[in-house]
Amino acid sequence: MSVPRLVATWRFGLGACDAAWSLLEQGDGPGAVVAACDHAERDPTVDSVGYGGIPDGSGRVTLDASYMESPRVAAGVCVVGRHLAVAQIARLAAERTRQVLIAGPGADEFAQQAGVESAALLSPTAAMAPQGAGAHDTIGVLGVDAAGRLFGACSTSGLGRKRPGRVGDSPIIGHGLYVDPEVGAVTATGTGELIMRVCGSFLAVELMRRGASTLDALQEVLQRIDRTLDVSPSDQVAFLALRSDGECAGAALINGFEFAMRDSAGARLCGPGVTIHHRPANQS
Ligand code: SD4
């Protein structure tokens, strides 16, 4: 038996975890991690997920998401333009198809066929966001249920004002999210171009497989990024990790990262266990 627990990236993860907690308590782990993403997707004040998402360079909002519970049950959708519930769509793709990634109009078509409601994605506030806006605060959610089963979901509108067609780490299994039932779960937020160059979430899980603690694994991945890639002072990358025994950790490249934790003791906001560079983030 394990202690049920949900963790989610950023401050807005608090409300998301709270909204999803009863599902986890009832034993619905898949429903819980998707419901947490859904909460952020519907929140117009979250400017890098779902309805509040800042549009791409052409003025269009497109969404990316992934869902994973094991290498067998894992999928992502990207460049979704007509549906809001992208974490749910990723879950449906993982459960009902053999595809691991469905992109663009094909993803919208799959969602429509699966009976997911279509939606307008551009909020009035996001449409007015200044050209320079470059928010990146993806929601990544990891959960463990009382039986020790792990679940993960991740949802984003990607980098604000991104190049149309640009896809980051979040919808791609192994980059923005990886869950191995025997080892643990990891999700990522921040500059996807850095996370993807080291297969960040997969790498962290593999380090845990070889015996690293959750925190040591995340720190090693961040150090790899910092040492081997072109990291600009404003780049943020942060990871969350959760094991089936409930051990969890967060770590970040620069200041400003927080994550939410929800268990039977309630919801609380946590700082990262490790920050590689203590310089201010340009956003949080
Ligand atoms: C991406 N990782 O598309 C996402 C954006 C984001 O917090 O995180 N950020 O690169």
Side-chain angles (χ1 to χ4, degrees):
M1 294 296 278
S2 290
V3 178
R5 177 168 279 171
L6 278 173
V7 290
T9 53
W10 304 109
R11 178 174 289 263
F12 57 74
L14 272 179
C17 286
D18 248 350
W21 176 245
S22 63
L23 288 169
L24 190 68
E25 272 191 318
Q26 291 158 28
D28 182 3
V33 293
V34 168
C37 289
D38 187 71
H39 189 270
E41 286 161 357
R42 289 171 188 279
D43 184 345
T45 68
V46 179
D47 64 7
S48 47
V49 180
Y51 180 63
I54 293 176
D56 67 15
S58 73
R60 187 166 172 252
V61 176
T62 60
L63 305 179
D64 303 335
S66 55
Y67 173 84
M68 185 164 190
E69 51 187 74
S70 71
R72 281 205 174 83
V73 184
V77 289
C78 63
V79 203
V80 174
R82 293 188 288 110
H83 293 82
L84 181 59
V86 276
Q88 168 67 1
I89 299 166
R91 177 186 173 188
L92 291 170
E95 291 176 345
R96 297 185 186 176
T97 81
R98 287 204 75 206
Q99 281 89 59
V100 180
L101 185 61
I102 309 178
D108 278 303
E109 195 177 316
F110 167 73
Q112 193 182 337
Q113 286 164 358
V116 178
E117 208 178 297
S118 65
L121 300 183
L122 183 60
S123 74
T125 313
M128 300 296 288
Q131 273 298 333
H136 53 84
D137 292 347
T138 293
I139 186 161
V141 186
L142 306 175
V144 59
D145 69 11
R149 286 181 300 231
L150 289 161
F151 305 91
C154 183
S155 180
T156 190
S157 54
L159 299 183
R161 306 295 175 188
K162 64 191 175 186
R163 177 192 294 274
R166 176 267 184 195
V167 175
D169 58 301
S170 306
I172 303 184
I173 296 302
H175 296 269
L177 177 68
Y178 200 74
V179 180
D180 187 315
E182 291 171 9
V183 181
V186 174
T187 190
T189 176
T191 307
E193 283 70 11
L194 297 175
I195 298 161
M196 297 166 86
R197 284 181 158 85
V198 299
C199 302
S201 294
F202 178 75
L203 177 57
V205 168
E206 290 309 297
L207 292 167
M208 288 159 62
R209 189 191 305 280
R210 282 160 176 71
S213 69
T214 49
L215 188 60
D216 286 350
L218 301 187
Q219 182 173 10
E220 191 169 336
V221 176
L222 287 166
Q223 283 168 340
R224 172 94 65 98
I225 288 171
D226 195 46
R227 204 177 58 240
T228 60
L229 300 177
D230 299 324
V231 179
S232 80
S234 62
D235 276 319
Q236 174 64 296
V237 172
F239 291 100
L240 274 186
L242 176 67
R243 282 195 328 214
S244 60
D245 64 2
E247 184 192 292
C248 64
L253 204 50
I254 59 174
N255 295 358
F257 178 64
E258 298 170 301
F259 65 97
M261 188 187 302
R262 178 70 165 93
D263 53 27
S264 56
R268 53 214 178 269
L269 206 54
C270 307
V274 162
T275 302
I276 303 294
H277 293 291
H278 289 282
R279 61 182 174 232
N282 65 349
Q283 44 71 48
S284 67

PDB file of all heavy atoms in Angstrom, residues 29-69:
ATOM      1  N   GLY A  29      -6.926   7.126 -10.574  1.00  0.00           N
ATOM      2  CA  GLY A  29      -5.677   7.841 -10.859  1.00  0.00           C
ATOM      3  C   GLY A  29      -5.654   8.503 -12.223  1.00  0.00           C
ATOM      4  O   GLY A  29      -5.297   9.684 -12.346  1.00  0.00           O
ATOM      5  N   PRO A  30      -6.064   7.783 -13.294  1.00  0.00           N
ATOM      6  CA  PRO A  30      -6.081   8.420 -14.617  1.00  0.00           C
ATOM      7  C   PRO A  30      -6.991   9.649 -14.632  1.00  0.00           C
ATOM      8  O   PRO A  30      -6.623  10.705 -15.159  1.00  0.00           O
ATOM      9  CB  PRO A  30      -6.628   7.316 -15.528  1.00  0.00           C
ATOM     10  CG  PRO A  30      -6.271   6.040 -14.834  1.00  0.00           C
ATOM     11  CD  PRO A  30      -6.378   6.336 -13.367  1.00  0.00           C
ATOM     12  N   GLY A  31      -8.176   9.501 -14.036  1.00  0.00           N
ATOM     13  CA  GLY A  31      -9.108  10.628 -13.989  1.00  0.00           C
ATOM     14  C   GLY A  31      -8.523  11.801 -13.215  1.00  0.00           C
ATOM     15  O   GLY A  31      -8.712  12.961 -13.581  1.00  0.00           O
ATOM     16  N   ALA A  32      -7.776  11.496 -12.145  1.00  0.00           N
ATOM     17  CA  ALA A  32      -7.244  12.571 -11.300  1.00  0.00           C
ATOM     18  C   ALA A  32      -6.195  13.412 -12.032  1.00  0.00           C
ATOM     19  O   ALA A  32      -6.266  14.648 -12.015  1.00  0.00           O
ATOM     20  CB  ALA A  32      -6.650  11.975 -10.026  1.00  0.00           C
ATOM     21  N   VAL A  33      -5.228  12.772 -12.682  1.00  0.00           N
ATOM     22  CA  VAL A  33      -4.180  13.590 -13.319  1.00  0.00           C
ATOM     23  C   VAL A  33      -4.751  14.378 -14.498  1.00  0.00           C
ATOM     24  O   VAL A  33      -4.339  15.515 -14.761  1.00  0.00           O
ATOM     25  CB  VAL A  33      -2.939  12.755 -13.733  1.00  0.00           C
ATOM     26  CG1 VAL A  33      -2.225  12.229 -12.498  1.00  0.00           C
ATOM     27  CG2 VAL A  33      -3.272  11.629 -14.695  1.00  0.00           C
ATOM     28  N   VAL A  34      -5.724  13.796 -15.185  1.00  0.00           N
ATOM     29  CA  VAL A  34      -6.358  14.525 -16.296  1.00  0.00           C
ATOM     30  C   VAL A  34      -7.221  15.673 -15.758  1.00  0.00           C
ATOM     31  O   VAL A  34      -7.217  16.780 -16.307  1.00  0.00           O
ATOM     32  CB  VAL A  34      -7.180  13.571 -17.187  1.00  0.00           C
ATOM     33  CG1 VAL A  34      -8.072  14.346 -18.150  1.00  0.00           C
ATOM     34  CG2 VAL A  34      -6.248  12.646 -17.966  1.00  0.00           C
ATOM     35  N   ALA A  35      -7.940  15.427 -14.655  1.00  0.00           N
ATOM     36  CA  ALA A  35      -8.789  16.484 -14.083  1.00  0.00           C
ATOM     37  C   ALA A  35      -7.945  17.664 -13.600  1.00  0.00           C
ATOM     38  O   ALA A  35      -8.363  18.826 -13.699  1.00  0.00           O
ATOM     39  CB  ALA A  35      -9.623  15.929 -12.928  1.00  0.00           C
ATOM     40  N   ALA A  36      -6.759  17.374 -13.071  1.00  0.00           N
ATOM     41  CA  ALA A  36      -5.881  18.468 -12.635  1.00  0.00           C
ATOM     42  C   ALA A  36      -5.474  19.319 -13.838  1.00  0.00           C
ATOM     43  O   ALA A  36      -5.501  20.560 -13.786  1.00  0.00           O
ATOM     44  CB  ALA A  36      -4.658  17.909 -11.920  1.00  0.00           C
ATOM     45  N   CYS A  37      -5.115  18.680 -14.936  1.00  0.00           N
ATOM     46  CA  CYS A  37      -4.781  19.440 -16.157  1.00  0.00           C
ATOM     47  C   CYS A  37      -5.994  20.212 -16.646  1.00  0.00           C
ATOM     48  O   CYS A  37      -5.881  21.385 -17.045  1.00  0.00           O
ATOM     49  CB  CYS A  37      -4.293  18.501 -17.262  1.00  0.00           C
ATOM     50  SG  CYS A  37      -2.665  17.811 -16.975  1.00  0.00           S
ATOM     51  N   ASP A  38      -7.137  19.563 -16.613  1.00  0.00           N
ATOM     52  CA  ASP A  38      -8.374  20.185 -17.086  1.00  0.00           C
ATOM     53  C   ASP A  38      -8.662  21.481 -16.325  1.00  0.00           C
ATOM     54  O   ASP A  38      -9.097  22.478 -16.909  1.00  0.00           O
ATOM     55  CB  ASP A  38      -9.513  19.177 -16.899  1.00  0.00           C
ATOM     56  CG  ASP A  38     -10.804  19.655 -17.505  1.00  0.00           C
ATOM     57  OD1 ASP A  38     -10.866  19.674 -18.746  1.00  0.00           O
ATOM     58  OD2 ASP A  38     -11.721  20.021 -16.749  1.00  0.00           O
ATOM     59  N   HIS A  39      -8.382  21.466 -15.036  1.00  0.00           N
ATOM     60  CA  HIS A  39      -8.592  22.655 -14.209  1.00  0.00           C
ATOM     61  C   HIS A  39      -7.758  23.825 -14.731  1.00  0.00           C
ATOM     62  O   HIS A  39      -8.248  24.951 -14.865  1.00  0.00           O
ATOM     63  CB  HIS A  39      -8.221  22.315 -12.760  1.00  0.00           C
ATOM     64  CG  HIS A  39      -8.578  23.377 -11.774  1.00  0.00           C
ATOM     65  ND1 HIS A  39      -7.710  24.402 -11.427  1.00  0.00           N
ATOM     66  CD2 HIS A  39      -9.707  23.594 -11.060  1.00  0.00           C
ATOM     67  CE1 HIS A  39      -8.295  25.177 -10.535  1.00  0.00           C
ATOM     68  NE2 HIS A  39      -9.510  24.721 -10.312  1.00  0.00           N
ATOM     69  N   ALA A  40      -6.495  23.558 -15.044  1.00  0.00           N
ATOM     70  CA  ALA A  40      -5.625  24.620 -15.580  1.00  0.00           C
ATOM     71  C   ALA A  40      -6.028  24.990 -17.007  1.00  0.00           C
ATOM     72  O   ALA A  40      -5.959  26.166 -17.398  1.00  0.00           O
ATOM     73  CB  ALA A  40      -4.170  24.169 -15.537  1.00  0.00           C
ATOM     74  N   GLU A  41      -6.453  23.997 -17.781  1.00  0.00           N
ATOM     75  CA  GLU A  41      -6.840  24.276 -19.184  1.00  0.00           C
ATOM     76  C   GLU A  41      -8.016  25.247 -19.250  1.00  0.00           C
ATOM     77  O   GLU A  41      -8.116  26.056 -20.169  1.00  0.00           O
ATOM     78  CB  GLU A  41      -7.204  22.959 -19.891  1.00  0.00           C
ATOM     79  CG  GLU A  41      -5.988  22.099 -20.219  1.00  0.00           C
ATOM     80  CD  GLU A  41      -6.331  20.633 -20.491  1.00  0.00           C
ATOM     81  OE1 GLU A  41      -7.523  20.256 -20.366  1.00  0.00           O
ATOM     82  OE2 GLU A  41      -5.404  19.866 -20.800  1.00  0.00           O
ATOM     83  N   ARG A  42      -8.903  25.178 -18.269  1.00  0.00           N
ATOM     84  CA  ARG A  42     -10.089  26.043 -18.284  1.00  0.00           C
ATOM     85  C   ARG A  42      -9.858  27.396 -17.633  1.00  0.00           C
ATOM     86  O   ARG A  42     -10.730  28.272 -17.700  1.00  0.00           O
ATOM     87  CB  ARG A  42     -11.237  25.355 -17.533  1.00  0.00           C
ATOM     88  CG  ARG A  42     -11.786  24.185 -18.278  1.00  0.00           C
ATOM     89  CD  ARG A  42     -12.765  23.395 -17.440  1.00  0.00           C
ATOM     90  NE  ARG A  42     -13.118  22.196 -18.132  1.00  0.00           N
ATOM     91  CZ  ARG A  42     -14.031  22.150 -19.100  1.00  0.00           C
ATOM     92  NH1 ARG A  42     -14.689  23.238 -19.443  1.00  0.00           N
ATOM     93  NH2 ARG A  42     -14.280  21.023 -19.722  1.00  0.00           N
ATOM     94  N   ASP A  43      -8.740  27.565 -16.958  1.00  0.00           N
ATOM     95  CA  ASP A  43      -8.487  28.784 -16.190  1.00  0.00           C
ATOM     96  C   ASP A  43      -7.907  29.863 -17.121  1.00  0.00           C
ATOM     97  O   ASP A  43      -6.769  29.751 -17.578  1.00  0.00           O
ATOM     98  CB  ASP A  43      -7.496  28.454 -15.068  1.00  0.00           C
ATOM     99  CG  ASP A  43      -7.237  29.641 -14.158  1.00  0.00           C
ATOM    100  OD1 ASP A  43      -7.577  30.783 -14.535  1.00  0.00           O
ATOM    101  OD2 ASP A  43      -6.681  29.426 -13.068  1.00  0.00           O
ATOM    102  N   PRO A  44      -8.669  30.944 -17.376  1.00  0.00           N
ATOM    103  CA  PRO A  44      -8.170  31.952 -18.314  1.00  0.00           C
ATOM    104  C   PRO A  44      -6.983  32.748 -17.778  1.00  0.00           C
ATOM    105  O   PRO A  44      -6.308  33.447 -18.535  1.00  0.00           O
ATOM    106  CB  PRO A  44      -9.384  32.875 -18.526  1.00  0.00           C
ATOM    107  CG  PRO A  44     -10.276  32.639 -17.361  1.00  0.00           C
ATOM    108  CD  PRO A  44     -10.003  31.256 -16.855  1.00  0.00           C
ATOM    109  N   THR A  45      -6.687  32.639 -16.476  1.00  0.00           N
ATOM    110  CA  THR A  45      -5.549  33.393 -15.926  1.00  0.00           C
ATOM    111  C   THR A  45      -4.231  32.637 -16.079  1.00  0.00           C
ATOM    112  O   THR A  45      -3.167  33.197 -15.828  1.00  0.00           O
ATOM    113  CB  THR A  45      -5.763  33.715 -14.423  1.00  0.00           C
ATOM    114  OG1 THR A  45      -5.706  32.497 -13.671  1.00  0.00           O
ATOM    115  CG2 THR A  45      -7.102  34.408 -14.190  1.00  0.00           C
ATOM    116  N   VAL A  46      -4.295  31.372 -16.471  1.00  0.00           N
ATOM    117  CA  VAL A  46      -3.053  30.624 -16.707  1.00  0.00           C
ATOM    118  C   VAL A  46      -2.685  30.824 -18.177  1.00  0.00           C
ATOM    119  O   VAL A  46      -3.361  30.312 -19.064  1.00  0.00           O
ATOM    120  CB  VAL A  46      -3.234  29.121 -16.376  1.00  0.00           C
ATOM    121  CG1 VAL A  46      -1.949  28.357 -16.650  1.00  0.00           C
ATOM    122  CG2 VAL A  46      -3.654  28.943 -14.920  1.00  0.00           C
ATOM    123  N   ASP A  47      -1.620  31.590 -18.415  1.00  0.00           N
ATOM    124  CA  ASP A  47      -1.389  32.053 -19.791  1.00  0.00           C
ATOM    125  C   ASP A  47      -0.495  31.127 -20.618  1.00  0.00           C
ATOM    126  O   ASP A  47      -0.015  31.513 -21.681  1.00  0.00           O
ATOM    127  CB  ASP A  47      -0.843  33.487 -19.794  1.00  0.00           C
ATOM    128  CG  ASP A  47       0.518  33.586 -19.123  1.00  0.00           C
ATOM    129  OD1 ASP A  47       1.085  32.547 -18.772  1.00  0.00           O
ATOM    130  OD2 ASP A  47       0.998  34.723 -18.959  1.00  0.00           O
ATOM    131  N   SER A  48      -0.297  29.928 -20.148  1.00  0.00           N
ATOM    132  CA  SER A  48       0.527  29.010 -20.945  1.00  0.00           C
ATOM    133  C   SER A  48      -0.064  27.609 -21.011  1.00  0.00           C
ATOM    134  O   SER A  48       0.619  26.656 -21.391  1.00  0.00           O
ATOM    135  CB  SER A  48       1.942  28.958 -20.371  1.00  0.00           C
ATOM    136  OG  SER A  48       1.856  28.804 -18.980  1.00  0.00           O
ATOM    137  N   VAL A  49      -1.347  27.519 -20.638  1.00  0.00           N
ATOM    138  CA  VAL A  49      -2.071  26.246 -20.711  1.00  0.00           C
ATOM    139  C   VAL A  49      -3.491  26.555 -21.180  1.00  0.00           C
ATOM    140  O   VAL A  49      -4.102  27.512 -20.704  1.00  0.00           O
ATOM    141  CB  VAL A  49      -2.171  25.562 -19.324  1.00  0.00           C
ATOM    142  CG1 VAL A  49      -2.940  24.244 -19.430  1.00  0.00           C
ATOM    143  CG2 VAL A  49      -0.806  25.340 -18.704  1.00  0.00           C
ATOM    144  N   GLY A  50      -4.006  25.775 -22.091  1.00  0.00           N
ATOM    145  CA  GLY A  50      -5.427  25.827 -22.417  1.00  0.00           C
ATOM    146  C   GLY A  50      -5.952  27.186 -22.838  1.00  0.00           C
ATOM    147  O   GLY A  50      -5.298  27.927 -23.591  1.00  0.00           O
ATOM    148  N   TYR A  51      -7.124  27.532 -22.314  1.00  0.00           N
ATOM    149  CA  TYR A  51      -7.879  28.695 -22.795  1.00  0.00           C
ATOM    150  C   TYR A  51      -7.143  30.021 -22.601  1.00  0.00           C
ATOM    151  O   TYR A  51      -7.315  30.939 -23.388  1.00  0.00           O
ATOM    152  CB  TYR A  51      -9.245  28.725 -22.094  1.00  0.00           C
ATOM    153  CG  TYR A  51     -10.102  29.885 -22.509  1.00  0.00           C
ATOM    154  CD1 TYR A  51     -10.531  29.996 -23.835  1.00  0.00           C
ATOM    155  CD2 TYR A  51     -10.466  30.863 -21.595  1.00  0.00           C
ATOM    156  CE1 TYR A  51     -11.310  31.072 -24.234  1.00  0.00           C
ATOM    157  CE2 TYR A  51     -11.252  31.938 -21.987  1.00  0.00           C
ATOM    158  CZ  TYR A  51     -11.670  32.042 -23.300  1.00  0.00           C
ATOM    159  OH  TYR A  51     -12.434  33.100 -23.685  1.00  0.00           O
ATOM    160  N   GLY A  52      -6.347  30.135 -21.550  1.00  0.00           N
ATOM    161  CA  GLY A  52      -5.614  31.386 -21.337  1.00  0.00           C
ATOM    162  C   GLY A  52      -4.314  31.456 -22.110  1.00  0.00           C
ATOM    163  O   GLY A  52      -3.576  32.445 -22.023  1.00  0.00           O
ATOM    164  N   GLY A  53      -4.002  30.424 -22.865  1.00  0.00           N
ATOM    165  CA  GLY A  53      -2.700  30.308 -23.519  1.00  0.00           C
ATOM    166  C   GLY A  53      -2.421  31.433 -24.504  1.00  0.00           C
ATOM    167  O   GLY A  53      -3.286  31.821 -25.287  1.00  0.00           O
ATOM    168  N   ILE A  54      -1.194  31.920 -24.449  1.00  0.00           N
ATOM    169  CA  ILE A  54      -0.776  32.963 -25.391  1.00  0.00           C
ATOM    170  C   ILE A  54      -0.623  32.338 -26.779  1.00  0.00           C
ATOM    171  O   ILE A  54      -0.079  31.236 -26.915  1.00  0.00           O
ATOM    172  CB  ILE A  54       0.540  33.613 -24.906  1.00  0.00           C
ATOM    173  CG1 ILE A  54       0.250  34.377 -23.606  1.00  0.00           C
ATOM    174  CG2 ILE A  54       1.139  34.525 -25.967  1.00  0.00           C
ATOM    175  CD1 ILE A  54       1.450  34.991 -22.962  1.00  0.00           C
ATOM    176  N   PRO A  55      -1.119  33.044 -27.816  1.00  0.00           N
ATOM    177  CA  PRO A  55      -1.088  32.444 -29.164  1.00  0.00           C
ATOM    178  C   PRO A  55       0.322  32.340 -29.740  1.00  0.00           C
ATOM    179  O   PRO A  55       1.271  32.896 -29.186  1.00  0.00           O
ATOM    180  CB  PRO A  55      -1.938  33.413 -29.992  1.00  0.00           C
ATOM    181  CG  PRO A  55      -1.958  34.692 -29.227  1.00  0.00           C
ATOM    182  CD  PRO A  55      -1.790  34.337 -27.780  1.00  0.00           C
ATOM    183  N   ASP A  56       0.420  31.648 -30.844  1.00  0.00           N
ATOM    184  CA  ASP A  56       1.702  31.549 -31.541  1.00  0.00           C
ATOM    185  C   ASP A  56       1.952  32.834 -32.341  1.00  0.00           C
ATOM    186  O   ASP A  56       1.172  33.791 -32.287  1.00  0.00           O
ATOM    187  CB  ASP A  56       1.758  30.282 -32.406  1.00  0.00           C
ATOM    188  CG  ASP A  56       0.785  30.308 -33.591  1.00  0.00           C
ATOM    189  OD1 ASP A  56       0.262  31.395 -33.946  1.00  0.00           O
ATOM    190  OD2 ASP A  56       0.542  29.226 -34.170  1.00  0.00           O
ATOM    191  N   GLY A  57       3.027  32.852 -33.104  1.00  0.00           N
ATOM    192  CA  GLY A  57       3.410  34.057 -33.825  1.00  0.00           C
ATOM    193  C   GLY A  57       2.403  34.504 -34.861  1.00  0.00           C
ATOM    194  O   GLY A  57       2.399  35.661 -35.294  1.00  0.00           O
ATOM    195  N   SER A  58       1.514  33.610 -35.258  1.00  0.00           N
ATOM    196  CA  SER A  58       0.506  33.983 -36.250  1.00  0.00           C
ATOM    197  C   SER A  58      -0.815  34.366 -35.585  1.00  0.00           C
ATOM    198  O   SER A  58      -1.806  34.612 -36.277  1.00  0.00           O
ATOM    199  CB  SER A  58       0.272  32.819 -37.217  1.00  0.00           C
ATOM    200  OG  SER A  58      -0.450  31.784 -36.574  1.00  0.00           O
ATOM    201  N   GLY A  59      -0.838  34.367 -34.250  1.00  0.00           N
ATOM    202  CA  GLY A  59      -2.055  34.756 -33.544  1.00  0.00           C
ATOM    203  C   GLY A  59      -2.988  33.609 -33.216  1.00  0.00           C
ATOM    204  O   GLY A  59      -4.093  33.801 -32.714  1.00  0.00           O
ATOM    205  N   ARG A  60      -2.536  32.388 -33.449  1.00  0.00           N
ATOM    206  CA  ARG A  60      -3.386  31.213 -33.229  1.00  0.00           C
ATOM    207  C   ARG A  60      -2.906  30.440 -31.985  1.00  0.00           C
ATOM    208  O   ARG A  60      -1.700  30.241 -31.813  1.00  0.00           O
ATOM    209  CB  ARG A  60      -3.254  30.336 -34.477  1.00  0.00           C
ATOM    210  CG  ARG A  60      -4.160  29.169 -34.530  1.00  0.00           C
ATOM    211  CD  ARG A  60      -4.180  28.580 -35.947  1.00  0.00           C
ATOM    212  NE  ARG A  60      -4.929  27.342 -35.900  1.00  0.00           N
ATOM    213  CZ  ARG A  60      -4.384  26.140 -36.007  1.00  0.00           C
ATOM    214  NH1 ARG A  60      -3.098  25.996 -36.223  1.00  0.00           N
ATOM    215  NH2 ARG A  60      -5.143  25.060 -35.920  1.00  0.00           N
ATOM    216  N   VAL A  61      -3.855  30.012 -31.162  1.00  0.00           N
ATOM    217  CA  VAL A  61      -3.496  29.177 -30.010  1.00  0.00           C
ATOM    218  C   VAL A  61      -3.516  27.714 -30.440  1.00  0.00           C
ATOM    219  O   VAL A  61      -4.498  27.249 -31.022  1.00  0.00           O
ATOM    220  CB  VAL A  61      -4.484  29.367 -28.839  1.00  0.00           C
ATOM    221  CG1 VAL A  61      -4.159  28.413 -27.691  1.00  0.00           C
ATOM    222  CG2 VAL A  61      -4.465  30.810 -28.345  1.00  0.00           C
ATOM    223  N   THR A  62      -2.435  27.010 -30.163  1.00  0.00           N
ATOM    224  CA  THR A  62      -2.437  25.555 -30.378  1.00  0.00           C
ATOM    225  C   THR A  62      -1.919  24.894 -29.104  1.00  0.00           C
ATOM    226  O   THR A  62      -1.061  25.448 -28.413  1.00  0.00           O
ATOM    227  CB  THR A  62      -1.565  25.124 -31.575  1.00  0.00           C
ATOM    228  OG1 THR A  62      -0.221  25.536 -31.356  1.00  0.00           O
ATOM    229  CG2 THR A  62      -2.097  25.690 -32.877  1.00  0.00           C
ATOM    230  N   LEU A  63      -2.466  23.748 -28.804  1.00  0.00           N
ATOM    231  CA  LEU A  63      -2.203  23.091 -27.525  1.00  0.00           C
ATOM    232  C   LEU A  63      -1.516  21.741 -27.709  1.00  0.00           C
ATOM    233  O   LEU A  63      -1.744  21.048 -28.710  1.00  0.00           O
ATOM    234  CB  LEU A  63      -3.523  22.893 -26.770  1.00  0.00           C
ATOM    235  CG  LEU A  63      -4.372  24.155 -26.545  1.00  0.00           C
ATOM    236  CD1 LEU A  63      -5.660  23.802 -25.807  1.00  0.00           C
ATOM    237  CD2 LEU A  63      -3.591  25.216 -25.778  1.00  0.00           C
ATOM    238  N   ASP A  64      -0.700  21.395 -26.712  1.00  0.00           N
ATOM    239  CA  ASP A  64       0.027  20.121 -26.691  1.00  0.00           C
ATOM    240  C   ASP A  64      -0.231  19.441 -25.347  1.00  0.00           C
ATOM    241  O   ASP A  64      -0.303  20.123 -24.315  1.00  0.00           O
ATOM    242  CB  ASP A  64       1.548  20.355 -26.768  1.00  0.00           C
ATOM    243  CG  ASP A  64       2.001  21.150 -27.982  1.00  0.00           C
ATOM    244  OD1 ASP A  64       1.299  21.139 -29.009  1.00  0.00           O
ATOM    245  OD2 ASP A  64       3.075  21.780 -27.893  1.00  0.00           O
ATOM    246  N   ALA A  65      -0.291  18.114 -25.335  1.00  0.00           N
ATOM    247  CA  ALA A  65      -0.477  17.412 -24.061  1.00  0.00           C
ATOM    248  C   ALA A  65      -0.022  15.974 -24.184  1.00  0.00           C
ATOM    249  O   ALA A  65       0.091  15.426 -25.297  1.00  0.00           O
ATOM    250  CB  ALA A  65      -1.953  17.429 -23.643  1.00  0.00           C
ATOM    251  N   SER A  66       0.232  15.367 -23.032  1.00  0.00           N
ATOM    252  CA  SER A  66       0.564  13.940 -23.011  1.00  0.00           C
ATOM    253  C   SER A  66      -0.050  13.285 -21.783  1.00  0.00           C
ATOM    254  O   SER A  66      -0.412  13.953 -20.809  1.00  0.00           O
ATOM    255  CB  SER A  66       2.082  13.720 -23.020  1.00  0.00           C
ATOM    256  OG  SER A  66       2.687  14.417 -21.958  1.00  0.00           O
ATOM    257  N   TYR A  67      -0.144  11.968 -21.865  1.00  0.00           N
ATOM    258  CA  TYR A  67      -0.673  11.164 -20.769  1.00  0.00           C
ATOM    259  C   TYR A  67       0.124   9.864 -20.743  1.00  0.00           C
ATOM    260  O   TYR A  67       0.421   9.283 -21.785  1.00  0.00           O
ATOM    261  CB  TYR A  67      -2.163  10.834 -20.993  1.00  0.00           C
ATOM    262  CG  TYR A  67      -2.678   9.862 -19.972  1.00  0.00           C
ATOM    263  CD1 TYR A  67      -3.117  10.307 -18.740  1.00  0.00           C
ATOM    264  CD2 TYR A  67      -2.660   8.483 -20.217  1.00  0.00           C
ATOM    265  CE1 TYR A  67      -3.541   9.407 -17.769  1.00  0.00           C
ATOM    266  CE2 TYR A  67      -3.083   7.581 -19.252  1.00  0.00           C
ATOM    267  CZ  TYR A  67      -3.522   8.054 -18.035  1.00  0.00           C
ATOM    268  OH  TYR A  67      -3.931   7.168 -17.066  1.00  0.00           O
ATOM    269  N   MET A  68       0.479   9.407 -19.536  1.00  0.00           N
ATOM    270  CA  MET A  68       1.256   8.157 -19.470  1.00  0.00           C
ATOM    271  C   MET A  68       1.016   7.460 -18.142  1.00  0.00           C
ATOM    272  O   MET A  68       0.957   8.097 -17.089  1.00  0.00           O
ATOM    273  CB  MET A  68       2.747   8.470 -19.628  1.00  0.00           C
ATOM    274  CG  MET A  68       3.628   7.242 -19.696  1.00  0.00           C
ATOM    275  SD  MET A  68       5.281   7.617 -20.336  1.00  0.00           S
ATOM    276  CE  MET A  68       5.918   5.958 -20.574  1.00  0.00           C
ATOM    277  N   GLU A  69       0.884   6.148 -18.190  1.00  0.00           N
ATOM    278  CA  GLU A  69       0.900   5.355 -16.960  1.00  0.00           C
ATOM    279  C   GLU A  69       1.902   4.214 -17.046  1.00  0.00           C
ATOM    280  O   GLU A  69       2.249   3.639 -16.027  1.00  0.00           O
ATOM    281  CB  GLU A  69      -0.510   4.877 -16.586  1.00  0.00           C
ATOM    282  CG  GLU A  69      -1.254   4.185 -17.693  1.00  0.00           C
ATOM    283  CD  GLU A  69      -2.710   3.900 -17.311  1.00  0.00           C
ATOM    284  OE1 GLU A  69      -3.499   4.859 -17.283  1.00  0.00           O
ATOM    285  OE2 GLU A  69      -3.030   2.739 -17.038  1.00  0.00           O
TER     286      GLU A  69
END
